[in-house]
């Protein structure tokens, strides 16, 4: 039977309530007590001090649906959005947590029951794969997890051993850490570039990671002889499952963007940009990506502004500004040059306001902030277009200045160069961008960041003659 994304969210929370978990509301996207973190990017963030033993709660089991943003910072999925089936800048992470209460055995049994029991999600077991940590010099192979997966009925040939990159988690260089087990779903399509049938885990498009179970088992400290892992007196559980991904699985669609969490937003984006994409029309792939990006970025911008972030030239506000401008730019790629993103805010509120009542309070204010940014960006584009000339197009470094300073989209410049018969200096542009990213990373240290983005600057003022002839169809974002 059909289950909406909202029902799936609710079923997840209800399932864990039946297992004695306290339902806890999502925390803000702006981390409360962690200046090292750009945005909340996992369900466990709000419980960090509980895991560390520095904070006590009146419950030892919790479940939540956490607002997460992975754009900028350590996890950055911004460039993936629109081009993979499974990445968003904003997504909801469903999680169950044990603070020194149950451990591996129960965490595995709960996850398997929820996913496969006909009373709950009823997913076909033959489509699921699980992974365990293969072990390394410091930590042995996770033989316990392996056994518990066998115990719940996963056949040995569906349990895969993976390295630390995917299957070992650490809170930081020191502190709680431990192996993970991840659950993957086989979408059943040979989606690799060659169209070949590849076995797990070789095809990222076909085998989608849906749930990560983290077993916080060790306390890592650094001594003169190197890192030492001591067993935690009270091992804990932290899990995260993307609501959008599990919804795609349960709704039988191949992409998160085809779930009911996104289709109304995409439809609204079509209305607002006046651009309708025909189903399965190859030529429209770029337009489809643009609509997905608008839907995704509208969610991210709405939730970020609702949680108190404002567009700015540095830090969190800069990431928000980038997200908004990218959304606006994709509207332009679809032919919409007037402000439209602020209208998307109300669509997001209509879809998500029940689960996140804070949106109902803030939508009007959020829409005003978005509109102001849209109006400013329109002026920026006008200014930027005036600064664009042969010289800036020939020099990647100058082009990057335009991109950073005026938010001048790369597509515009690449296209303008093409029209003017100039070879765009992509290598120089990429080098300048890389340099800037390193500066931005270095500047995000414990909240004491210096200005990460340059302020508006006067550039040589030469009119670019051919700009009225620009065609805007680049897909590079
Ligand atoms: P991936 O390998 O697909 O990038 P991940 O390993 O980075 O995912 P985790 O950090 O393990 O993800 O987060 C737990 C879960 O959150 C994932 O299993 C996935 O379901 C979901 N998730 C992670 N990143 C995203 C994202 N950008 N958009 C949507 N869901 C996500
Ligand atoms: Mg990732
Ligand atoms: Mg992964
Ligand atoms: Mg993972």
């Amino acid at each position: 039977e059909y289950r909406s994304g909202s029902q799936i969210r609710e079923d997840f929370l209800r399932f864990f309530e039946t297992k004695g978990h306290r339902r806890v509301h999502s925390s803000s996207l702006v981390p409360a007590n962690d200046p090292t973190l750009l945005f909340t990017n996992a369900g466990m963030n709000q419980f960090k001090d509980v895991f560390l033993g520095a904070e006590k709660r009146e419950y030892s089991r919790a479940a939540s649906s956490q607002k997460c943003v992975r754009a900028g910072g350590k996890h950055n999925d911004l460039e993936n959005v629109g081009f993979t089936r499974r990445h968003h800048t904003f997504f909801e992470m469903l999680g169950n947590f044990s603070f020194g209460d149950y451990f591996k055995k129960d965490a595995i049994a709960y996850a398997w029951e929820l996913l496969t029991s006909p009373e709950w999600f009823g997913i076909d077991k033959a489509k699921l794969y699980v992974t365990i940590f293969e072990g390394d010099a410091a930590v042995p192979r996770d033989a316990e997890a392996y056994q518990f997966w066998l115990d719940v009925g996963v056949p040995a040939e569906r349990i895969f051993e993976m390295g630390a990159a995917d299957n070992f988690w650490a809170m930081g260089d020191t502190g709680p850490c431990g192996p993970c087990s991840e659950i993957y779903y086989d979408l059943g399509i040979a989606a690799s570039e060659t169209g070949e049938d590849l076995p797990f885990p070789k095809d990222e498009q076909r085998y989608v990671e849906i749930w990560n179970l983290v077993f916080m088992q060790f306390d890592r400290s650094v001594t003169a002889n190197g890192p030492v892992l001591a067993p935690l007196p009270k091992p804990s559980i932290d899990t995260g499952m993307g609501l959008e991904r599990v919804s795609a699985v349960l709704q039988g669609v191949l992409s998160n963007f085809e779930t009911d969490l996104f289709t109304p937003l995409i439809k609204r984006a079509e209305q607002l940009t006046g651009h309708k994409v025909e189903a399965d029309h190859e030529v429209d792939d770029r337009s489809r990506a643009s609509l997905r990006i608008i839907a995704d970025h509208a969610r991210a911008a709405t939730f970020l502004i609702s949680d108190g972030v404002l567009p700015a030239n540095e830090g969190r506000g800069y990431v928000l500004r980038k997200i908004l401008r990218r959304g606006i730019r994709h509207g332009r790629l679809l032919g919409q040059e007037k402000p439209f993103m602020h209208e998307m805010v109300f669509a997001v509120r209509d879809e998500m306001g029940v689960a996140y009542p804070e949106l109902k309070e803030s939508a009007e204010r959020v829409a005003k902030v978005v509109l102001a940014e849209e109006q400013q960006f329109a002026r920026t584009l006008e200014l930027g277009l005036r600064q664009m000339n042969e010289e800036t197009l020939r020099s990647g470094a100058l082009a990057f200045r335009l991109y950073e300073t005026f938010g001048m989209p790369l597509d515009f410049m690449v296209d303008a160069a093409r029209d003017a018969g100039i070879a765009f200096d992509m290598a120089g542009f990429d080098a300048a961008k890389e340099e800037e990213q390193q500066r931005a990373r270095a500047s995000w240290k414990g909240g004491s960041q210096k200005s990460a983005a340059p302020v508006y600057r006067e550039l040589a003022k030469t009119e670019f003659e051919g700009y009225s002839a620009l065609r805007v169809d680049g897909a590079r974002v």
Side-chain angles (χ1 to χ4, degrees):
E1 110 260 29
Y2 176 82
R3 254 180 244 250
S4 69
S6 295
Q7 272 172 283
I8 294 165
R9 186 195 298 112
E10 180 58 28
D11 288 349
F12 177 93
L13 296 169
R14 227 162 26 82
F15 173 83
F16 281 101
E17 279 175 335
T18 70
K19 308 289 183 195
H21 291 61
R22 173 74 61 91
R23 185 191 290 230
V24 178
H25 192 67
S26 171
S27 63
S28 168
L29 282 168
V30 179
N33 297 315
D34 194 345
T36 64
L37 196 59
L38 192 56
F39 297 120
T40 298
N41 61 22
M44 62 78 60
N45 294 163
Q46 70 165 314
F47 301 115
K48 187 175 168 184
D49 286 343
V50 187
F51 284 119
L52 289 169
E55 190 191 332
K56 287 268 170 290
R57 301 262 170 124
E58 58 191 10
Y59 45 85
S60 61
R61 301 175 170 214
S64 67
S65 171
Q66 174 67 48
K67 301 179 273 191
C68 293
V69 165
R70 292 192 176 182
K74 185 174 135 201
H75 291 280
N76 189 355
D77 291 331
L78 185 58
E79 314 282 323
N80 286 329
V81 172
F83 302 98
T84 74
R85 297 183 162 93
R86 62 180 208 281
H87 285 105
H88 309 295
T89 52
F90 169 91
F91 66 100
E92 294 174 75
M93 195 186 283
L94 304 170
N96 57 291
F97 307 92
S98 155
F99 311 115
D101 185 333
Y102 64 88
F103 196 46
K104 244 177 245 190
K105 183 180 180 6
D106 292 328
I108 286 173
Y110 290 156
W112 197 250
E113 181 185 347
L114 175 64
L115 291 181
T116 64
S117 157
E119 278 166 51
W120 293 95
F121 291 169
I123 297 174
D124 181 359
K125 292 176 188 170
K127 298 236 166 113
L128 296 170
Y129 289 85
V130 302
T131 63
I132 61 156
F133 182 49
E134 66 185 4
D136 62 16
V139 181
R141 168 181 176 272
D142 196 353
E144 293 171 338
Y146 184 79
Q147 187 58 50
F148 294 140
W149 285 117
L150 287 177
D151 291 347
V152 296
V154 181
E157 64 274 14
R158 285 186 167 262
I159 309 174
F160 285 73
E161 305 195 1
M162 310 262 261
D166 287 301
N167 285 58
F168 196 85
W169 176 89
M171 201 179 276
D173 295 335
T174 60
C177 58
C180 328
S181 262
E182 293 194 320
I183 303 172
Y184 287 75
Y185 180 80
D186 179 1
L187 287 174
I189 36 150
S192 61
E193 272 169 34
T194 57
E196 228 183 310
D197 241 332
L198 295 168
F200 183 83
K202 292 218 174 80
D203 188 332
E204 296 212 304
Q205 305 233 48
R206 169 167 173 178
Y207 305 104
V208 183
E209 175 190 328
I210 55 174
W211 203 347
N212 187 355
L213 315 181
V214 178
F215 312 125
M216 274 185 220
Q217 194 169 354
F218 304 105
D219 184 11
R220 182 157 61 186
S221 52
V222 178
T223 69
N225 301 325
V228 174
L229 294 171
L232 279 172
K234 287 181 155 189
S236 291
I237 291 295
D238 153 29
T239 85
M241 170 157 69
L243 172 64
E244 299 77 3
R245 293 189 193 185
V246 71
S247 297
V249 168
L250 295 180
Q251 294 176 10
V253 293
L254 294 180
S255 154
N256 294 2
F257 292 98
E258 290 164 43
T259 66
D260 75 311
L261 294 165
F262 277 93
T263 47
L265 297 178
I266 289 172
K267 190 170 282 167
R268 189 72 184 119
E270 282 180 339
Q271 290 167 350
L272 290 170
T273 59
H275 192 102
K276 182 127 180 53
V277 175
E278 300 300 326
D280 293 330
H281 198 274
E282 280 280 313
V283 191
D284 269 342
D285 273 0
R286 279 174 176 181
S287 303
R288 195 173 297 117
S290 288
L291 288 168
R292 290 174 173 184
I293 288 167
I294 291 168
D296 175 276
H297 290 13
R299 297 199 328 160
T302 301
F303 276 95
L304 282 170
I305 298 168
S306 178
D307 277 349
V309 182
L310 290 172
N313 275 338
E314 59 180 29
R316 296 187 173 111
Y318 183 55
V319 178
L320 167 63
R321 172 160 278 166
K322 272 216 285 221
I323 290 172
L324 272 172
R325 289 184 168 184
R326 195 156 170 262
I328 294 164
R329 191 160 65 70
H330 280 278
R332 286 186 172 241
L333 290 175
L334 296 175
Q336 180 53 280
E337 299 197 353
K338 297 206 184 73
F340 70 94
M341 273 297 256
H342 62 290
E343 292 287 348
M344 289 295 295
V345 170
F346 299 109
V348 174
R349 176 204 56 195
D350 294 346
E351 295 305 314
M352 317 272 284
V354 172
Y356 300 94
E358 60 266 32
L359 287 187
K360 294 188 194 157
E361 306 289 316
S362 62
E364 294 286 342
R365 174 181 67 81
V366 172
K368 283 203 184 101
V369 172
V370 174
L371 177 59
E373 186 70 8
E374 288 188 282
Q375 288 166 336
Q376 191 195 322
F377 188 45
R379 284 195 295 275
T380 295
L381 275 176
E382 265 164 48
L383 275 179
L385 285 170
R386 243 182 272 140
Q387 312 303 323
M388 196 164 74
N389 56 38
E390 272 208 27
E391 197 194 349
T392 53
L393 291 177
R394 271 188 213 290
S395 152
L398 287 180
F400 182 71
R401 280 294 121 219
L402 270 183
Y403 172 89
E404 273 296 274
T405 310
F406 295 100
M408 188 60 152
L410 181 58
D411 300 320
F412 275 61
M413 294 190 285
V414 171
D415 242 39
R418 200 191 298 135
D419 286 352
I422 298 168
F424 186 81
D425 176 18
M426 190 61 83
F429 182 92
D430 286 342
K433 186 174 184 188
E434 175 59 28
E435 200 178 297
E436 171 63 24
Q437 278 169 349
Q438 276 175 12
R439 232 196 333 270
R441 272 197 290 273
S443 79
W444 185 259
K445 288 247 175 67
S448 63
Q449 79 277 18
K450 295 189 293 275
S451 178
V455 288
Y456 286 65
R457 224 203 268 168
E458 278 294 298
L459 293 179
K461 280 209 173 97
T462 325
E463 289 281 337
F464 176 71
E465 276 152 25
Y467 90 81
S468 54
L470 294 189
R471 232 177 356 113
V472 184
D473 67 357
R476 183 162 172 158
V477 280

